[in-house]
Structures are given as C-alpha cells and as structure tokens.
Amino acid sequence: MARLLLIAFVILLGGCTREPPRHKISGHVFGTTVEVTIYDDSRARADALAGAVLAEFDRLHRKYHAWQPSMLTALNDSIARGEPFQADAEMVGLLQSAARLSAQSDYLFNPTIGHLIRLWGFQGSTFGPQAPPAAQIRRWVDAHPTLDDLRYAGTTISSVNPAVMIDLGGYAKGYALDRAAAILRAGGVRAALVNIGGNVLAIGQPGARPWQVGIRDPRGAGTLVMVPLRDNEAMGTSGDYERYFMKDGKRRPHIIDPRTGYPIDLVASVTIVTSGGQDVGLRSDGNSKPLFITGAAGWQAMARRLGLREVLLVDTERRVHVSPALQARLAHAR
C-alpha cells in the first residue's frame, strides 16, 4: 500500500555530538514506493548498502509476485493441476511461518484466498468497480482453502485442496523488511529506516531521539499522530484508502474477509507496532490483517490472541481506538 505513512525525522544536536550525514534512496517495488534512509559517514558505503537492499526487494518482488510469472504463480499453477512443485527452502520457510500466523488468527489471515482476491479485481496494477456474482463468491468460500492444505516433502510442495491460490501481498513486504535489516546490520549501519509503502523498520536511531514516524489520517491529508520507533522495532498499517473502489455507495478495499468472501467496509486503518526478534518486520505486516477484519468490535481480543500490545484502529466513523501500551508510548514521547 503506497504512501500509507508520512515519514518525519527529528534530528537533535546535543552538545558537541556530531551525527553522521543522512543518505536516502527511493525506488518502486511491490507496487509501491520504497525508501531506505541511512545515517553513515561514508556516502559510498550508504549508497552500496541501499542498492543491495533495493536489489533484494526486486528479487523478492519477482519471486513472490501474485499474478505476473513468478515462483509463486508457478506453485499456484501446479496446485491447480494437482501436481507437486519443486520450491526452495526460503519459500517453504515463508509459507510455514505464514501458516502459523494463519492458525493463530483463527484463519482470518489467510493468504490462500487468491481466487477471491482475483474475483474482486485486485490482482492487477489497475482495478475498477466489481460486482462478482454471489454464487462465485460462495464457491471459493465453501472450498475453505488454507495453508494447512499444503504438504511438504523437503522443498517439494503439494496441496490436498486445488482451491488454494496463494497471494502473499499481505506478508512478503514484512519479510522484505527483515531481509533489509539483515543486509544493513551486516554492513555495519548504525542507524537506518526502511519504508515499504506503509511498513517501516528502524535500526538504531538518528540522534538523541528515536525515529519519529507518522500514522496517516485515513480520511484526510494530515497525520494522526507521530510514533517513536527504536532499534529493531517495526510499524505496519493496513488501510482502506489506497487499493479500493466505490460500488453502490460502499467502499470496497482489497482486504477480504475469508469467512464471507467480501471486502471489509467497517475499518479505515489499523496500525500495529512490533518489537524485537529477527522477524519484527514480518510480524508488522501479517498481524495487522486479522485486526482489520475483526474491526472495532473484536480487535482487542484478536490483539491478545496474537500477542500484540501496541495497536491503533480507526473505524469508518473516524473514531480512534488505541491500546493502553501504545497510548503510553505516545504519552511518553510528548
């Protein structure tokens, strides 16, 4: 999701402390704008590391693209034919981690509903109003595809359910953040911020204060609030304001409830902050989707189920719901 976050950097010079220069490189991958900001004394090293990150993003984009020819579409084609597919260890590991989150979220996070995503017209660079027949929606809902349908023999993948069509659009960007962090840390970067169209990961801090990242107002041009991010923390937002269309007076975003087959129209955005571990980016991406689907009535229970403490949800009436832990972070930052 492009331009979900407005990034702001607060640079404070304390006493005689000298901060290294800031270097920023942008690109366009995963159908969105990506930015890599690095604080480093060496411009050449910063450019080389940022270039390595963008090259890794391009590799992942090509490998896990949901509708252009990729390893993922080849896997989906094999599943549809009822044939095994020779993948690799990276793909197996990513799918198995997604399966754990899917089960933990009571299958509200479900990357196997690609047929429904395609039916609503969201598997494409451009899309317009759609009104899929109810019978077709029901067909794919009743097929009950999940990642539990996959079987592994080493790196060979097969499925017991031909209705499985995997779309990692709500997961691969988080994995890419973690890969970027690994590259930058191996390169000795002291402070960096990586932004993939609304999913942000922080390394170190640029000066005397943490990184300051803004949560966009989903119904306006401004920023709701600035959130301080510290080393190895990530923030992810799912919203209804980038990939959506209007039909019969209803907003139809790209996030689909696998239980009904219909897009969610009760939530404007959900933002979560995740901390610690080697998969902090991955968690910031995948975990926001179940909260978006459960909405204002159920997000707190789902957050507890997923072990999420810092959450901000904006419903379609522009009411803002904030968890106590995130509220405390915001209050402490003032």
Side-chain angles (χ1 to χ4, degrees), residues 23-27 33-38 43 46-52 54 193 195:
H23 310 284
K24 183 176 180 179
I25 296 181
S26 301
T33 299
V34 300
E35 295 176 339
V36 182
T37 302
I38 298 173
R43 177 59 186 260
D47 286 349
L49 286 171
L54 293 181
L193 194 73
N195 173 28

Side-chain angles (χ1 to χ4, degrees), residues 89 91-101 147 150 152 154 171:
M91 174 177 271
V92 168
L94 189 60
L95 291 175
Q96 290 179 337
S97 73
R100 290 191 291 271
L101 172 57
L147 288 171
L150 299 184
Y152 301 94
Y171 203 59

Side-chain angles (χ1 to χ4, degrees), residues 156-203:
T156 300
I157 305 173
S158 59
S159 175
V160 297
N161 186 347
V164 166
M165 178 186 280
I166 301 166
D167 186 321
L168 294 173
Y171 203 59
K173 292 191 292 294
Y175 177 67
L177 282 178
D178 293 326
R179 290 291 305 130
I183 291 170
L184 295 174
R185 291 187 190 279
V189 167
R190 288 184 291 168
L193 194 73
V194 185
N195 173 28
I196 305 179
N199 287 80
V200 182
L201 187 147
I203 295 173

Side-chain angles (χ1 to χ4, degrees), residues 77 162 207 221 235 249 267 269 279 286:
D77 290 344
M235 189 168 82
V267 176
S269 69
D279 62 346

